[in-house]
Amino acid sequence: DAKTTQPTSMDCAEGRAANLPCNHSTISGNEYVYWYRQIHSQGPQYIIHGLKNNETNEMASLIITEDRKSSTLILPHATLRDTAVYYCIVRVANRDDKIIFGKGTRLHILP
Amino acid sequence: GAGVSQSPRYKVAKRGQDVALRCDPISGHVSLFWYQQALGQGPEFLTYFQNEAQLDKSGLPSDRFFAERPEGSVSTLKIQRTQQEDSAVYLCASSLAGQSYEQYFGPGTRLTVT
């Protein structure tokens, strides 16, 4: 079973920041928080991952709480192309291992 | 560069037919994963190869499912005597391993069993 809890769906206005929450209260010390997204009719795409410090790349920012029991993925200026299912996953990094996906959050960007 | 490709993109099979789904990983990628994604669900792991060795097949739902990667590159997922519950999108992912464990996914094959 997935070790994360996410809302089923969210809406966000185009141009605004999309903040996607994720709970992972049973995360282990050596597990990272990963985010993937899946646009309709495509395979999942890696977005970002982090251990305990906040991370930022060209796609998004990841904010992890100090106790590491929850995190938020931030898309700073959402566009219509960001409409997708977003998956929050906890897994050990640097290991060749299967990914356990949950159901994710279906994000709708509204024009 | 070229990503992971899968063929066919869509497949319709009558119940009881055998199907073969192909995955071409990124060149040089050591590891290859197959996932099954039912409608409205997240992908679920089926099996994993490192080069030509199938190291984990714990996710294969029945002995009707068989996967191979004989030369450590292209992989084929075969489903024998298809059933309606086999209808799903079958995703393939590859990773470099050793240097980067990031998995790159193909677009999937949508299988519909009628």
Side-chain angles (χ1 to χ4, degrees), chain B residues 67-86:
Chain B
E68 60 183 5
R69 195 185 185 199
E71 298 178 359
S73 178
V74 171
S75 177
T76 304
L77 176 67
K78 298 179 179 178
I79 309 173
Q80 298 177 320
R81 304 181 302 282
T82 53
Q83 303 294 315
Q84 282 195 315
E85 62 262 28
D86 300 336

Side-chain angles (χ1 to χ4, degrees), chain A residues 24 27 31-35 48-50 62 64 71 88-90:
Chain A
H24 31 80
I27 191 169
E31 288 181 319
Y32 285 63
V33 180
Y34 279 75
W35 284 83
I48 198 168
H49 74 283
L62 173 60
I64 303 173
S71 60
C88 171
I89 295 152
V90 295

